[in-house]
Amino acid sequence: MQNESMYHMLTKMIEGDQQAFHTLYDATYRDVYRTVSFLVDHPQDREDIMNEIYMQMWTSLPNYDPNRPFHFWLHGLVIRQVQRFRVKSWRRFRIFERIRVFSREEHHWDQPMTTDGTDPEISKAMHKLTDKQRTVIILRFYHDYTLEEIATLLAIPLGTVKSRYHAGLQSFRKHLGNLPLERMDKNNAY
């Protein structure tokens, strides 16, 4: 979707046009879902987060600054919703652990799911990264943000982003062998 038509849709959405929302949803859904898929393992959790992202987009669109790129703003919503999900998951996990200890029952966790539409080798290596490293790697390689932009998007210091980026790349090389950068660029083409 071209920038002019994107801003036209955003203006209509701010005025309450639901059809404009559906059009914008169709134009952005795949990109957002791909990002969420890399950050969250369980498919049902992804769907819940996707719903929250688009609800948040609908309600906070009047706060959007049209002088900033829309996708940058949208990816900020994605990152914040994934972080909220993780906080909620951690709370649920702690409650679950307390109940488990109390009742002394054994539970079996779901196996991590592979991400659709990507090289399984890359997807497997991606899930071996920490959540923080994975977030930086996805924003850098799948959305082409600079390290400075990622620092702004995550509201963390640039040095922290660089540290997570380099640690993530080292982990990739460890799990994928000495993967040359050209191969990673090729695998990032989607």
Side-chain angles (χ1 to χ4, degrees):
M1 182 178 281
Q2 298 292 331
N3 281 343
E4 289 182 26
S5 62
M6 176 80 73
Y7 289 115
H8 179 69
M9 287 295 142
L10 293 173
T11 304
K12 290 177 103 179
M13 278 180 59
I14 291 171
E15 294 169 355
D17 186 341
Q18 291 185 359
Q19 184 58 40
F21 174 79
H22 290 294
T23 302
L24 193 64
Y25 176 85
D26 290 340
T28 59
Y29 177 80
R30 289 178 187 229
D31 182 49
V32 170
Y33 189 78
R34 183 176 299 116
T35 301
V36 171
S37 295
F38 275 119
L39 297 173
V40 178
D41 293 333
H42 199 276
Q44 181 59 46
D45 295 338
R46 293 178 198 155
E47 293 300 324
D48 292 343
I49 292 170
M50 291 295 291
N51 289 336
E52 292 296 323
I53 289 168
Y54 282 98
M55 285 290 292
Q56 183 69 37
M57 184 177 81
W58 179 263
T59 58
S60 62
L61 197 56
N63 300 329
Y64 168 66
D65 178 5
N67 296 321
R68 298 184 68 191
F70 174 73
H71 283 93
F72 187 80
W73 180 77
L74 180 60
H75 289 140
L77 287 178
V78 171
I79 297 300
R80 283 190 295 278
Q81 289 301 322
V82 169
Q83 289 172 340
R84 284 185 191 141
F85 169 78
R86 287 181 179 149
V87 169
K88 286 180 187 176
S89 293
W90 176 245
R91 288 181 184 148
R92 281 194 308 253
F93 174 76
R94 292 191 55 155
I95 291 169
F96 179 77
E97 280 297 306
R98 287 181 189 159
I99 292 171
R100 188 180 69 83
V101 168
F102 183 73
S103 64
R104 298 182 188 266
E105 292 180 4
E106 293 187 22
H107 298 275
H108 302 283
W109 295 96
D110 293 339
Q111 295 295 319
M113 303 296 288
T114 59
T115 305
D116 295 333
T118 59
D119 184 330
E121 185 181 4
I122 296 291
S123 181
K124 187 176 177 182
M126 186 74 76
H127 286 286
K128 293 188 179 196
L129 300 176
T130 66
D131 290 339
K132 293 176 180 178
Q133 291 170 346
R134 194 179 327 158
T135 300
V136 170
I137 294 294
I138 289 169
L139 290 173
R140 177 71 187 112
F141 284 100
Y142 282 89
H143 299 294
D144 293 327
Y145 288 121
T146 65
L147 296 179
E148 291 82 7
E149 290 171 328
I150 294 170
T152 302
L153 197 61
L154 299 177
I156 58 176
L158 177 60
T160 304
V161 171
K162 288 180 179 178
S163 174
R164 291 177 187 174
Y165 175 71
H166 291 295
L169 287 181
Q170 284 180 346
S171 178
F172 259 127
R173 287 188 181 109
K174 178 181 170 189
H175 292 101
L176 296 175
N178 287 328
L179 189 65
L181 289 177
E182 299 84 37
R183 172 118 190 264
M184 289 187 72
D185 289 341
K186 180 181 175 186
N187 284 332
N188 285 336
Y190 50 99

